Amino acid sequence: MSRNTRINVLLLLVVVALAVLPLALGLGDDEKEPFAGADAQAETAITELDPDYEPWFSPLYEPPSGEIESALFAVQAAIGAGVLAYYFGLRRGRRQGEERALARRDAEVPQHPEVPQHAEVPEDAGAPRGGAAAGAERESGV
């Protein structure tokens, strides 16, 4: 098993443990809403400390129910995950393309002891020369 595979399996196990352990251990069973978000918990704490507190701002959109709020949050998370996956996939694709281009270039360039393996090769290297001098060489057989 390669090192990357072991790391990926370990990370997957950690994520599963973080998701399953709170449910298996019964954490939050004594609360009315055991898995409420931080916003709801903060609102509850503030109203307990200062019942007359009035917020500075009001939300731009208030969903009609908690289910719709959760669905909108899930859509937001999915869009964010999609953007991140696209970005990392694009970076990996570019890196792989560069590696393939270098490998292809190295395979085409003849290896000489005096030329480093990754030396810059002019684009016209190995191409027939143009112009009058090249034509004269071809005609004279030189």
Side-chain angles (χ1 to χ4, degrees):
M1 186 183 291
S2 74
R3 181 173 184 261
N4 285 339
T5 305
R6 284 192 300 249
I7 290 172
N8 288 339
V9 168
L10 180 64
L11 288 173
L12 182 65
L13 290 174
V14 168
V15 168
V16 168
L18 285 173
V20 172
L21 281 177
L23 298 173
L25 297 175
L27 298 178
D29 284 345
D30 56 336
E31 297 179 20
K32 188 169 90 175
E33 293 184 37
F35 299 107
D39 292 345
Q41 291 177 350
E43 184 179 345
T44 304
I46 290 171
T47 53
E48 286 177 2
L49 293 174
D50 185 9
D52 298 329
Y53 176 79
E54 291 189 28
W56 295 355
F57 300 102
S58 61
L60 297 175
Y61 171 70
E62 186 74 36
S65 69
E67 291 83 12
I68 293 176
E69 185 176 355
S70 295
L72 290 174
F73 182 76
V75 168
Q76 177 185 355
I79 290 171
V83 168
L84 284 175
Y86 174 78
Y87 172 74
F88 287 118
L90 186 67
R91 283 193 47 182
R92 181 174 180 171
R94 284 184 180 168
R95 187 178 63 237
Q96 287 176 345
E98 289 173 357
E99 290 171 359
R100 287 183 190 139
L102 282 175
R104 192 176 311 123
R105 188 185 74 185
D106 290 345
E108 292 173 358
V109 175
Q111 300 300 321
H112 297 291
E114 66 273 1
V115 178
Q117 190 172 7
H118 292 288
E120 289 296 321
V121 178
E123 289 184 19
D124 62 346
R129 292 184 186 159
E137 290 175 2
R138 275 187 251 127
E139 289 176 8
S140 66
V142 178

